[in-house]
Amino acid sequence: MSQYPADADFRIKPREVADKSSRETLSKAIRMALAVESEPVRRNTNTFNQNRYTAVRTIDDYEALKDRARAIKEKAIEQIESSVAVLRKVIEERGGHFYLAKDGADANAYILEVCQKHQAKLAVKSKSMTSEEIRLNGVLEGAGIEVAETDLAEFILQVADEQPSHIVAPAIHRSRERISKLFKDVFHPEQPLETGEDLTKFAREILRRKFLTADVGISGANIIDAETGTIVLVENEGNIRMVTQAPPVHIAVAGVEKIVPHWEDLAPFIELLAPSGTGQPLSQYTNILHPPLKMPSFSFDGRPRRERAFYLVLVDNGRLRMRHDTELKRALYCMRCSACLNVCPVFQVLGGHAFGGETYSGGIGGAWEAGTGSLEKARFSELCTGCSRCVRQCPVRIDIPWLNTVLHDRLNQLDGKGAAALFFGKLFGSESRDREAGVEKQFFGNYATFAKAGSAFAPLSNGISALSPVRHLMEKMVGLDHRRRLPAFQKNTFTKKFAAWQKGREKSSGGKARPAKVLLFADIYTNFLHPESGMAAVKVLDALGIDVRLSDVPAEGRAALSQGMVETAARRANRVAHDLENEIDRGWKIVVPEPSVLALFRRDYKNLLNNNTLFEKLRENSLGAVEYLGHYLTENKIPLQAIFDANRFPPGKRLFYHGHCQRKSLGGIPDEGALFTELGFDVVSSKVECCGMAGSFGYKKEFYDVSMKIGEALFQQIRLADGENPRTIVTGGISCRHQIEEGVHRPVFHPMEVLEKILAAEGGGLS
Amino acid sequence: MKPSEMFDPKWVDRFVKAAEAAAATVERIGRSPEALKSALVQAAGETEPVLLAEPDFLPPELFAPFRELSNVITHPDDKQLASVRIGVTDAFAGIARTGSVCVSISKNLGGSVSLFAREHIAVLDARSIVPRPRDLFSNHYFQRERLPENFVLITGPSATADMGELVRGVHGPGRVHILLII
């Protein structure tokens, strides 16, 4: 199945590709991950997702709780200095020690000093991403102190010498078979360790001895409140309980952003963390601690009992600087639940060794690597396709795709300065700042320029771009993968077809007043690539008595945004929004057949428009084509089924529906698959987050394999739903359409095309 | 403590369901030392050593008949603590939504007994069940001063999925049995 050599032969080690400063390393990491780590990551993240959906349903005020958590975090980050001062006092007053370390080296030096003061020979450690970030283990081991990782996943990683690939389940990339082989090679067990039970028992026995003889326990902290100095630690295995109770000395290491001001502030995080992460109502153990503990210390190995001591080490390491970064600041709200990793289609096929850096992974990982390390190390954030599936899953409502766009933009500036890029950037219409971005980005970010030219010279342009030498040249020049065919440009564009249709219609129709007015947004993709789906929307709306006009065909900023060309995207967004505002003020609804553009108007423009009132206006007045139709029919009490009867759809009632990622992520938008079921269709809906094409993402040479790997799951679902008898495939997104057409080699239709075919069929339409 | 005044019997059913979903087992018992003793004997047996952590919340008299049995250890040495198979503790609260029992970590060893044992038997007064985790943090149910200084919310047996499949019983108990005093 895999085009890559099997595990045993694959020689790229995760650690070698952890630092993604260079593009070559990123590519290498992707190859390694697709070959070796993809399957367990996909399986495990899917389990987390299913459990999360179930768990959050049990929280009756889930949305309000997320708002509350976000508000607490905003306030907490705002007043972090005063919280640190309060917390220091509280911890010291109850006999603990408090240390604010300015960076990793500072923290490590302090922790080493504490260990040496207590004559530590063995430290047992529970999972702490912060300790990974500061590379604590190496420093302690360098000084002759044994460090035992006791979280089973961290234990595996310690044995394998690999970095975490997930912030909650750090060994998510290893199948049971690969763990079994690792243990066999390293430990040479007498009995073969095959089942999860065998492996767990084996590790437990090793670790139990460590717990009972350790001098120091090192933990992280999930949340800390300043008011009472409570340390909250969440876990499933019991190793954190051991680490914090068994040894006499407890050192907790955490990022300084983990402090919330008040005791009451802890509750929303406790209620949200486990459901959002592993999808449990609560983890097996939620430790609520005010160390040092009052109970006497133990003497399991006969050594004299020692007095219990507690040290809280909070690490700055760039966080306080991040606070002054208007954009990356929001990453500090993260509670490290991993929902954004699990729901991410790219993460699902790669895991965090490719979609991640030296410590942090997934969509949120880029901001963290940039904030605590350097911008170059966030290179993997270019793997974020902007699909937005994570946005509604984040319990503190961080707009993660936007953080990645910002990183993308900054990386463009860092990489830029190439003469070719500057030249092409100007030629293709990028704003001055964005001319720094690479030639490839100038190409994808200014797609409108090419589409116009391509359409003008169609079909010649299509013929040329389909030629093999040209495809290889394009791959070399602009990074367009030669295995992809560029979608054919249409000579007879949506605009042209609409004009011709309108001419014919004016002759035939009377002057009957039409109160419902729709401005159909003619995006560049529909206009130049799929005018027929635009015309289907026109005809359906017109047949229902709606006055339909067509917008101009401006570049609306989606392409530029996807390349991190923020200035260009913002310029385009402001221009388009102002034009549309005039129409909205005159009572027109903006109907947008292409979901990626709808999502732009309803979500992404928030970050691009200079005027928030204008954004709200556009958000409220733009609707998807099917969505608008639904509202219109309901308002006018027209029964849907009477007009669009599935029995009249010529190809038959069996449909496969795939929902566009950004559309699904908007929330509060009707499920089109369910609507088709209501019309009497037999519908199977896709169960993937995204098709994997995601605009230009799948066309890029760098990401083609990732895109197809994501697509594979969707293609399989289609084949399975087909059985012997192919279904009509329906999706709103033009890039989903191209991805599916390449995957299953048959045409795909926009929902409005299906509805239009029903109307056009014999006996269909309005009486 | 406030909870008993605000107790809602609906929470008991919800608690039992959630605890069972978290792979704990629950048994409802009567409110008397004899009822508790007989349930504990049934669960733990009369021969194998059983560690009993002195209760932090429930009245000690409630455990009196059980405490007198010859296999019950109330003041373990560290070796016994580390090697015991069955441990009994009380819980100061239960959480209906999640089926968690809240055990204090104090000099009474409830925290350690509920950790080192392979099998944990928790005794919970049904009247100290609160609806949601957040109710532990609000003065509405618990005055902060009345909460134990250190405690753990235990939601079923310890577990891991790190070895490629779900395994119960890692560093903590592999079985949690809750005796719910009605």
Short mmCIF file of all heavy atoms in Angstrom, two decimals, chain A residues 219-241:
data_model
loop_
_atom_site.label_atom_id
_atom_site.label_comp_id
_atom_site.label_asym_id
_atom_site.label_seq_id
_atom_site.Cartn_x
_atom_site.Cartn_y
_atom_site.Cartn_z
N SER A 219 6.99 16.97 38.23
CA SER A 219 5.72 16.96 37.49
C SER A 219 5.60 18.23 36.68
O SER A 219 6.39 19.16 36.84
CB SER A 219 4.54 16.86 38.46
OG SER A 219 4.31 18.13 39.07
N GLY A 220 4.60 18.29 35.85
CA GLY A 220 4.22 19.55 35.22
C GLY A 220 3.12 20.17 36.06
O GLY A 220 3.03 19.92 37.27
N ALA A 221 2.25 20.95 35.42
CA ALA A 221 1.03 21.47 36.06
C ALA A 221 0.07 21.86 34.95
O ALA A 221 0.48 22.50 33.99
CB ALA A 221 1.35 22.67 36.93
N ASN A 222 -1.17 21.42 35.05
CA ASN A 222 -2.14 21.79 34.02
C ASN A 222 -2.70 23.19 34.22
O ASN A 222 -2.88 23.92 33.27
CB ASN A 222 -3.29 20.78 33.98
CG ASN A 222 -2.84 19.42 33.53
OD1 ASN A 222 -2.62 18.54 34.33
ND2 ASN A 222 -2.64 19.26 32.23
N ILE A 223 -2.95 23.53 35.47
CA ILE A 223 -3.44 24.86 35.80
C ILE A 223 -2.98 25.15 37.23
O ILE A 223 -2.86 24.24 38.04
CB ILE A 223 -4.99 24.99 35.85
CG1 ILE A 223 -5.66 23.96 34.96
CG2 ILE A 223 -5.45 26.40 35.51
CD1 ILE A 223 -7.10 23.76 35.33
N ILE A 224 -2.77 26.42 37.51
CA ILE A 224 -2.38 26.83 38.86
C ILE A 224 -3.20 28.08 39.15
O ILE A 224 -3.32 28.94 38.29
CB ILE A 224 -0.88 27.22 38.91
CG1 ILE A 224 -0.02 26.06 38.39
CG2 ILE A 224 -0.47 27.65 40.30
CD1 ILE A 224 1.40 26.49 38.03
N ASP A 225 -3.78 28.19 40.33
CA ASP A 225 -4.42 29.46 40.62
C ASP A 225 -3.55 30.25 41.61
O ASP A 225 -2.93 29.67 42.50
CB ASP A 225 -5.86 29.29 41.13
CG ASP A 225 -5.92 29.03 42.61
OD1 ASP A 225 -5.42 27.97 43.01
OD2 ASP A 225 -6.42 29.89 43.36
N ALA A 226 -3.50 31.55 41.39
CA ALA A 226 -2.62 32.41 42.19
C ALA A 226 -3.16 32.56 43.61
O ALA A 226 -2.42 32.54 44.59
CB ALA A 226 -2.48 33.77 41.52
N GLU A 227 -4.45 32.67 43.73
CA GLU A 227 -5.09 32.98 45.00
C GLU A 227 -4.78 31.95 46.09
O GLU A 227 -4.45 32.30 47.22
CB GLU A 227 -6.60 33.05 44.78
CG GLU A 227 -7.39 33.51 45.97
CD GLU A 227 -8.90 33.41 45.72
OE1 GLU A 227 -9.30 32.87 44.67
OE2 GLU A 227 -9.65 33.88 46.58
N THR A 228 -4.90 30.66 45.74
CA THR A 228 -4.67 29.61 46.75
C THR A 228 -3.44 28.77 46.45
O THR A 228 -3.12 27.86 47.21
CB THR A 228 -5.89 28.66 46.84
OG1 THR A 228 -5.95 27.89 45.64
CG2 THR A 228 -7.19 29.41 47.01
N GLY A 229 -2.80 29.01 45.31
CA GLY A 229 -1.61 28.23 44.96
C GLY A 229 -1.93 26.77 44.68
O GLY A 229 -1.11 25.89 44.91
N THR A 230 -3.12 26.49 44.17
CA THR A 230 -3.52 25.12 43.86
C THR A 230 -2.83 24.66 42.57
O THR A 230 -2.84 25.37 41.58
CB THR A 230 -5.04 25.04 43.65
OG1 THR A 230 -5.68 25.61 44.78
CG2 THR A 230 -5.50 23.61 43.44
N ILE A 231 -2.28 23.46 42.62
CA ILE A 231 -1.70 22.87 41.42
C ILE A 231 -2.65 21.79 40.95
O ILE A 231 -2.93 20.84 41.69
CB ILE A 231 -0.34 22.18 41.73
CG1 ILE A 231 0.55 23.03 42.65
CG2 ILE A 231 0.38 21.75 40.47
CD1 ILE A 231 1.16 24.22 42.03
N VAL A 232 -3.17 21.92 39.74
CA VAL A 232 -4.06 20.90 39.21
C VAL A 232 -3.27 20.02 38.25
O VAL A 232 -2.60 20.53 37.34
CB VAL A 232 -5.26 21.53 38.48
CG1 VAL A 232 -6.15 20.44 37.87
CG2 VAL A 232 -6.07 22.40 39.42
N LEU A 233 -3.37 18.73 38.45
CA LEU A 233 -2.66 17.77 37.59
C LEU A 233 -3.61 16.67 37.15
O LEU A 233 -4.19 15.97 37.98
CB LEU A 233 -1.47 17.17 38.34
CG LEU A 233 -0.23 18.07 38.45
CD1 LEU A 233 0.64 17.65 39.61
CD2 LEU A 233 0.56 18.03 37.15
N VAL A 234 -3.75 16.52 35.86
CA VAL A 234 -4.74 15.62 35.29
C VAL A 234 -4.03 14.45 34.63
O VAL A 234 -3.05 14.65 33.92
CB VAL A 234 -5.57 16.42 34.26
CG1 VAL A 234 -6.47 15.51 33.46
CG2 VAL A 234 -6.39 17.50 34.95
N GLU A 235 -4.52 13.24 34.85
CA GLU A 235 -3.82 12.06 34.31
C GLU A 235 -4.72 10.84 34.32
O GLU A 235 -5.79 10.84 34.95
CB GLU A 235 -2.61 11.75 35.20
CG GLU A 235 -3.05 11.54 36.66
CD GLU A 235 -2.10 10.71 37.49
OE1 GLU A 235 -1.34 9.94 36.90
OE2 GLU A 235 -2.16 10.83 38.72
N ASN A 236 -4.27 9.78 33.67
CA ASN A 236 -5.02 8.53 33.62
C ASN A 236 -4.32 7.36 34.30
O ASN A 236 -4.95 6.43 34.74
CB ASN A 236 -5.30 8.13 32.17
CG ASN A 236 -6.38 8.98 31.56
OD1 ASN A 236 -7.37 9.28 32.21
ND2 ASN A 236 -6.18 9.40 30.33
N GLU A 237 -3.01 7.39 34.30
CA GLU A 237 -2.27 6.18 34.68
C GLU A 237 -2.01 6.06 36.18
O GLU A 237 -1.81 4.96 36.69
CB GLU A 237 -0.93 6.14 33.93
CG GLU A 237 -1.13 6.02 32.42
CD GLU A 237 0.17 6.12 31.63
OE1 GLU A 237 1.24 6.32 32.25
OE2 GLU A 237 0.10 6.03 30.41
N GLY A 238 -1.96 7.20 36.88
CA GLY A 238 -1.61 7.16 38.30
C GLY A 238 -0.15 7.50 38.53
O GLY A 238 0.31 7.58 39.66
N ASN A 239 0.59 7.71 37.46
CA ASN A 239 2.01 8.02 37.63
C ASN A 239 2.22 9.41 38.22
O ASN A 239 3.18 9.64 38.95
CB ASN A 239 2.77 7.87 36.30
CG ASN A 239 2.35 8.88 35.28
OD1 ASN A 239 1.16 9.06 35.03
ND2 ASN A 239 3.30 9.58 34.69
N ILE A 240 1.30 10.33 37.95
CA ILE A 240 1.43 11.67 38.54
C ILE A 240 1.18 11.60 40.05
O ILE A 240 1.86 12.22 40.85
CB ILE A 240 0.50 12.69 37.86
CG1 ILE A 240 0.89 12.87 36.40
CG2 ILE A 240 0.52 14.03 38.61
CD1 ILE A 240 0.10 13.92 35.64
N ARG A 241 0.22 10.75 40.41
CA ARG A 241 -0.03 10.57 41.85
C ARG A 241 1.22 10.02 42.51
O ARG A 241 1.60 10.43 43.61
CB ARG A 241 -1.22 9.61 42.07
CG ARG A 241 -2.53 10.12 41.47
CD ARG A 241 -3.69 9.17 41.75
NE ARG A 241 -4.03 9.12 43.17
CZ ARG A 241 -4.86 8.24 43.72
NH1 ARG A 241 -5.42 7.31 42.96
NH2 ARG A 241 -5.13 8.28 45.01
#
